Amino acid sequence: MTVDTTGSPTDLLEVDDDADLIEVLASHGWGDGLPVVAPTSERVGAMLAGCNGHDPEEVVASLPPRFGQATRLAIAVNAVMAGCLPDHLPVLVSAVRALAHPDLNLRGVNATTHCVAPLLVVHGDVARTAGYHGGLGAFGPGSRANAATGRALRLILLHVAGATPGDGDASTQGGPAKFGFCVAENLEASPWTGYAASVGVEAPSAVTIHCGEAPHNVHDMESSSPTGILDKVASAMATTAQNNACISQGEYLVALCPEHAATCADAGWSRGDVASYLFQRARLPVGELKRAFAHRAWTPWMQSLQDGEAAPMTGHPDNIRIMVVGGAGRHSSVIPSWGMTRSVTVPVEP
Amino acid sequence: MQIHPPTGAASTPPITLAPTPAVLAGRRIGILDNRKPNAGILLTRLAERLAARTGAEVALVETKNAAIPCEDQVLGRLVEEVELVLTGTAD
């Protein structure tokens, strides 16, 4: 498919009123295969009201591999198409800023054959005021804010960044998280301080982008102590099947359900204690890792480990990121990063 | 009905490719092995054959991680020491 990348968001495209909009978009190489809301001037203008008068033409970020200019206008067009509301636009604009942070390595994220997708996590006041969901079934389906904002971010990657499968996105199998991957942190049910503050972002509202795989479930109905739960989390982390396994800067986002988090906190464990324990327990024999990977992007101290020793799945406990997501029940999840990427948290600003 | 295109304008990419030399005789070839499986074997064999056919020489072999941009020091050495670089194999 040849992708039409010539159109500026200000150059309107004429479409028959009774045309199949999915097919019209597909003829330009646009869209994600699902029905979209037509981005008419009226709708885009209403969407831009969500940015409280900030310049629609200002370039928020330039996104590789196409180096498309993500102006507020271009972001708003994709937000309309995905079904967002104006209250969602500041979250989306902030998410685009995070995507463009050099630590995130968006060019690599888009170019890899891995199935990585940017997970957008919404923190703080805006999660409540704009309807983002962090409770029961948080990863979906069901929440318009989560679904539409996650989808809009993917549409921005497709259209503005040029992450078109086959051209700008080399993912071997793709993945369901590439349609949309957005959730809220369940701060009300968390025994710890908010995640954003824990990584140094003190703001009423914030977003995190973590480029990772779809969630890997961790099921534990039995344990009444942190170790029982976290040993199972560690087992989900410790596998040679993940991109992370041979990359010591790789991150693991551990989304603990409220009940698992409460079991840990009630025993006096802080978020840091959970990460430290997982760093200690999520390990594989060095010899097994060496057999699995001819090249290992390990820090020098990990390279010095001997075959009989156990290597951690990441080079530092800080690479294990803990937050609370979900509702009643005892299922948590591990979201391994792609590896050569760092999660980025920024304040929500329009 | 009129709709806004969703793409946004494109910026100028921050890098451009250098022109390829028209004649390779006497030129120095570098290899930038991105450490993808067999990249080193493939690129080295290709460079050796190219050198043998054209009268060039294989002068430098560097490595990088395929997932991240090449370090400035590595690029600097390539710029200093060779006129043609072979790189870029995939999985």
Side-chain angles (χ1 to χ4, degrees):
Chain A
M1 164 60 69
T2 300
V3 181
D4 180 358
T5 58
T6 58
S8 162
T10 55
D11 298 333
L12 294 176
L13 186 70
E14 190 72 39
V15 177
D16 289 343
D17 286 351
D18 57 354
D20 181 340
L21 193 55
I22 307 176
E23 294 302 323
V24 171
L25 294 172
S27 72
H28 291 270
W30 302 336
D32 59 2
L34 292 168
V36 298
V37 177
T40 61
S41 292
E42 184 181 20
R43 288 178 178 138
V44 171
M47 182 63 67
L48 282 166
C51 276
N52 297 326
H54 285 78
D55 182 5
E57 301 288 352
E58 182 185 350
V59 178
V60 175
S62 176
L63 302 177
R66 177 176 167 255
F67 295 98
Q69 293 178 358
T71 60
R72 289 189 185 83
L73 174 59
I75 295 169
V77 170
N78 287 280
V80 168
M81 291 171 72
C84 288
L85 297 170
D87 284 350
H88 305 150
L89 191 59
V91 170
L92 200 49
V93 169
S94 306
V96 167
R97 283 196 192 95
L99 275 182
H101 192 287
D103 288 352
L104 189 134
N105 186 17
L106 182 62
R107 186 167 193 162
V109 166
N110 281 335
T112 181
T113 49
H114 185 250
C115 60
V116 55
L119 166 63
L120 165 56
V121 186
V122 184
H123 314 280
D125 293 348
V126 76
R128 177 175 43 79
T129 59
Y132 290 93
H133 182 55
L136 193 75
F139 283 111
S143 160
R144 177 176 182 176
N146 294 17
T149 309
R151 185 188 182 201
L153 197 63
R154 172 52 53 185
L155 291 179
I156 289 166
L157 288 172
L158 287 166
H159 299 143
V160 181
T164 312
D167 294 330
D169 177 349
S171 179
T172 302
Q173 294 189 318
K178 281 178 176 279
F179 278 98
F181 201 13
C182 174
V183 74
E185 177 186 14
N186 192 346
L187 196 53
E188 291 75 18
S190 174
W192 301 304
T193 57
Y195 175 86
S198 79
V199 294
V201 177
E202 299 281 358
S205 302
V207 294
T208 295
I209 298 285
H210 168 84
C211 294
E213 300 177 4
H216 299 220
N217 189 62
V218 177
H219 153 240
D220 184 291
M221 303 285 184
E222 299 84 11
S223 300
S224 55
S225 69
T227 55
I229 296 166
L230 297 178
D231 284 349
K232 289 178 179 170
V233 174
S235 78
M237 294 169 61
T239 163
T240 56
Q242 292 163 5
N243 232 61
N244 260 355
C246 59
I247 301 173
S248 55
Q249 73 153 53
E251 294 182 355
Y252 291 84
L253 195 159
V254 178
L256 290 177
C257 67
E259 293 179 32
H260 285 167
T263 299
C264 295
D266 288 349
W269 290 40
S270 67
R271 171 187 272 120
D273 292 330
V274 171
S276 294
Y277 184 81
L278 291 172
F279 177 74
Q280 187 65 28
R281 300 292 282 184
R283 298 192 173 214
L284 286 174
V286 171
E288 182 178 343
L289 287 163
K290 285 183 175 177
R291 283 192 299 277
F293 303 103
H295 298 296
R296 298 168 299 281
W298 278 353
T299 53
W301 76 265
M302 288 180 69
Q303 295 283 11
S304 74
L305 296 173
Q306 302 301 304
D307 282 6
E309 297 180 271
M313 297 306 295
T314 185
H316 197 281
D318 287 350
N319 294 340
I320 301 170
R321 307 299 181 97
I322 313 295
M323 67 177 68
V324 175
V325 173
R330 294 180 70 83
H331 292 267
S332 293
S333 56
V334 173
I335 303 169
S337 80
W338 166 57
M340 302 306 284
T341 177
R342 305 285 294 174
S343 60
V344 173
T345 301
V346 298
V348 170
E349 294 170 346
Chain B
M1 173 172 65
Q2 290 184 317
I3 63 170
H4 289 268
T7 54
S11 308
T12 305
I15 55 169
T16 54
L17 293 174
T20 303
V23 178
L24 294 182
R27 304 276 190 174
R28 294 163 298 174
I29 300 173
I31 296 168
L32 183 54
D33 175 1
N34 64 4
R35 303 184 77 171
K36 283 290 183 183
N38 299 318
I41 298 169
L42 178 67
L43 291 169
T44 301
R45 184 67 60 86
L46 184 64
E48 288 171 349
R49 289 194 173 193
L50 192 60
R53 276 175 40 198
T54 63
E57 64 167 321
V58 180
L60 184 65
V61 177
E62 295 279 1
T63 59
K64 71 177 289 286
N65 187 304
I68 54 177
C70 187
E71 295 94 336
D72 288 343
Q73 286 179 325
V74 173
L75 285 178
R77 284 195 295 272
L78 288 164
V79 169
E80 283 287 316
E81 298 186 28
V82 303
E83 285 102 15
L84 185 77
V85 176
L86 301 180
T87 190
T89 68
D91 294 326

